[in-house]
């Protein structure tokens, strides 16, 4: 066998190991570990970290809310505290349960994702620092990171940024005092990985902190049993899952795992359950009558106007359909759609009508269109006001985006789409 033959064989094995069947079997194996941890810590709700973590949590265990702590916010020498991903909706949950379990995974070669080892520790330290400043009291603000993952030197560099991030948070317009009024203890991350053999449940009852238990679902070891294990199998699901969603996976898990011809089964379950992705999840933004959600219909009870982003449908007097692809192609379409949406919605905004902006997932396209509407037609208190070009600033757009992300937990607009919103208003302002 020559080198070319060896390469072809190894490449075939690599592709087979990443097949959808092996990925789904791996996800199922990792999800069993998550279930085991949740059974050890029954007092805490299980919350998936978007987007990868959603695959690993059985919907029967999962809290209705998710969080979004992004790994890139924790990349070395690029540490961030994102106001867009402030995850403010988690505070009522922490107040109710005195802690929570967060679930995510990472690809081969790492014990836990950067979202767990760096992004969440920074988030905890920043919020704790802000609380200490507002309350002027003793409050643990130390940056806690996993010692075998983050070096002392890196921890030191990250710690120096915490006061800067806390000052940014306090000046952002987010009502930190109101959100944290029920906090009785500082928040602190705790890490559990597949390397842990949990036999005795950890007890945080008398702890001096409110635990955020970060469960890294995937193993660095081969956990296969009749399949080829893939660490972090759910990562980058848009590249391998096709139309399969986490909801469909859990609903039809037995069928999907029981047949190696997974793609055929996926096509079958998608056809059977076509409207799974388009249901539920509507949130009003702050004190406005503008809502964002996952509803694809020409009319929705309780709303005077509907803007649908995504699939092409017929428009009407009270329904505007914007054909925008949730991909790179959609950037140009978004630029064209924004002025159409603003023109359509103005009379409804003037009459204080209830307006729904929706797309298939309720996270990206609808959020970007809603951001444009709120930027153009609301004052700083959320009341109707037509903002002329010379009145609109980047800070105004950022504040309106904060309204959305704090009101609609699943909001996760793509940077490219947000750039189109900024470009629409700021380029006009320059001209």
């Amino acid at each position: 066998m020559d080198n070319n033959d060896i390469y072809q064989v190894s490449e075939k094995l690599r592709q087979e190991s990443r097949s959808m069947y092996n990925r789904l079997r791996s996800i199922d194996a990792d999800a069993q570990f998550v279930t085991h941890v949740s059974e050890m810590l029954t007092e805490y709700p299980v919350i998936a970290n978007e987007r990868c973590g959603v695959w690993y949590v059985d919907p029967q265990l999962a809290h209705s809310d998710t969080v979004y702590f992004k790994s890139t916010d924790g990349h070395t020498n690029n540490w961030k505290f994102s106001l867009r991903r402030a995850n403010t909706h988690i505070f009522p949950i922490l107040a109710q349960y005195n802690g929570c379990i967060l679930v995510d995974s990472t690809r081969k070669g790492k014990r836990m994702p950067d979202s767990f080892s760096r992004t969440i520790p920074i988030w905890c330290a920043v919020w704790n620092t802000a609380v200490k400043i507002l309350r002027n009291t003793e409050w643990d603000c130390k940056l806690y990171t996993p010692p075998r993952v983050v070096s002392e030197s890196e921890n030191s560099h990250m710690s120096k940024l915490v006061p800067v991030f806390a000052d940014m948070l306090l000046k952002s317009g987010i009502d930190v005092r109101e959100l944290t009024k029920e906090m009785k203890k500082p928040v602190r991350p705790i890490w559990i990985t597949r390397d842990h053999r949990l036999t005795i449940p950890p007890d945080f009852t008398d702890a001096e902190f409110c635990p955020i238990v970060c469960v890294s679902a995937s193993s660095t070891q081969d956990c296969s049993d009749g399949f080829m294990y893939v660490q972090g199998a759910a990562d980058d699901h848009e590249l391998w899952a096709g139309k399969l969603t986490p909801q469909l996976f859990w609903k039809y898990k037995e069928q999907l795992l029981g047949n190696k011809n997974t793609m055929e089964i996926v096509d079958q379950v998608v056809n059977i359950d076509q409207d799974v992705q388009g249901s539920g999840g509507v949130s009003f933004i702050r004190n406005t009558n503008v809502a964002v959600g996952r509803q694809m219909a020409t009319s929705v009870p309780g709303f005077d106007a509907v803007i649908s982003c995504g699939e092409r449908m017929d428009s009407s007097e009270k329904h505007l359909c914007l054909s925008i692809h949730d991909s790179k192609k959609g950037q140009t379409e978004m630029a064209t759609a924004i002025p159409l949406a603003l023109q359509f919605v103005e009379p409804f905004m003037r009459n204080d009508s209830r307006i729904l902006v929706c797309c298939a997932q309720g996270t990206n396209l609808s959020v970007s269109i809603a951001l444009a509407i709120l930027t153009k037609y609301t004052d700083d208190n959320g009341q109707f006001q037509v903002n002329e070009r010379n009145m609109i600033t980047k800070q105004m757009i950022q504040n309106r985006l904060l309204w959305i992300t704090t009101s609609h937990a699943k909001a996760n607009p793509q940077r490219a789409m947000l750039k189109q919103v900024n470009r629409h208003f700021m380029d006009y302002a320059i001209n």
Side-chain angles (χ1 to χ4, degrees), residues 412-429:
N412 182 27
Q414 294 176 6
R415 184 178 297 274
M417 297 302 177
L418 294 178
K419 282 185 177 179
Q420 295 303 323
V421 178
N422 277 279
R423 187 169 296 157
H424 174 83
F425 292 110
M426 304 316 297
D427 283 358
Y428 279 153

Side-chain angles (χ1 to χ4, degrees), residues 227-243:
F227 65 96
M228 300 180 74
Y229 180 75
V230 183
Q231 183 183 351
D235 203 23
D236 292 331
H237 63 266
E238 63 273 10
L239 301 180
W240 61 265
K243 294 183 178 180

Side-chain angles (χ1 to χ4, degrees), residues 217-233:
S218 293
S219 175
T220 57
Q221 307 299 319
D222 185 355
C223 301
S224 58
D225 182 13
F227 65 96
M228 300 180 74
Y229 180 75
V230 183
Q231 183 183 351

Side-chain angles (χ1 to χ4, degrees), residues 43-227:
E43 65 271 33
Y44 299 134
V46 182
I47 305 172
N49 188 33
E50 297 275 4
R51 298 170 297 169
C52 181
V54 180
W55 290 85
Y56 296 97
V57 185
D58 186 334
Q60 295 184 356
L61 294 175
H63 191 275
S64 58
D65 283 326
T66 59
V67 293
Y68 189 39
F69 292 99
K70 199 171 182 181
S71 284
T72 53
D73 291 339
H75 285 180
T76 303
N77 295 322
N78 193 35
W79 308 291
K80 295 177 184 176
F81 176 84
S82 173
L83 292 174
R84 279 207 297 129
R85 294 177 286 276
N87 290 287
T88 55
H89 62 288
I90 200 175
F91 286 106
I93 300 172
L94 295 175
Q96 180 178 353
Y97 296 99
N98 299 310
C100 70
I101 298 170
L102 302 186
V103 178
D104 204 349
S105 76
T106 190
R107 284 185 257 183
K108 188 173 182 179
K110 300 174 71 174
R111 292 176 58 213
M112 64 182 70
D114 288 343
S115 59
F116 278 5
S117 59
R118 296 166 176 85
T119 306
I120 289 176
I122 290 172
W123 183 89
C124 290
V126 169
W127 280 96
N128 285 331
T129 301
V131 170
K132 181 176 182 179
I133 292 171
L134 289 176
R135 297 185 183 180
N136 192 25
T137 186
E138 287 297 317
W139 199 262
D140 187 4
C141 302
K142 182 180 176 181
L143 176 69
Y144 292 93
T145 52
R148 287 189 293 171
V149 178
V150 178
S151 68
E152 291 185 11
S153 174
E154 185 177 359
N155 180 291
S156 176
H157 286 299
M158 292 161 61
S159 296
K160 292 175 183 177
L161 295 172
V162 169
V164 178
F165 293 151
D167 183 63
M168 178 180 71
L169 171 62
L170 290 169
K171 293 177 179 178
S172 68
I174 295 176
D175 194 342
V176 178
R177 191 183 301 276
E178 177 65 22
L179 286 166
T180 60
K181 66 181 181 181
E182 301 297 331
M183 282 181 64
K184 296 180 174 60
K185 299 177 182 178
V187 288
R188 178 172 167 179
I190 300 293
W191 303 273
I192 296 177
T193 71
R194 289 286 291 275
D195 299 334
H196 290 84
R197 301 296 181 190
L198 284 182
T199 55
I200 301 175
D203 186 0
F204 301 110
T205 305
D206 298 323
E208 295 181 350
F209 56 85
C210 175
I212 296 181
V213 183
C214 302
V215 178
S216 186
S218 293
S219 175
T220 57
Q221 307 299 319
D222 185 355
C223 301
S224 58
D225 182 13
F227 65 96

Side-chain angles (χ1 to χ4, degrees), residues 307 320-322 333 335-345 424:
I307 299 178
L320 175 66
C321 173
L322 300 172
E333 295 168 339
T336 303
I338 289 172
L340 295 176
L342 295 179
Q343 181 181 8
F344 168 81
V345 83
H424 174 83

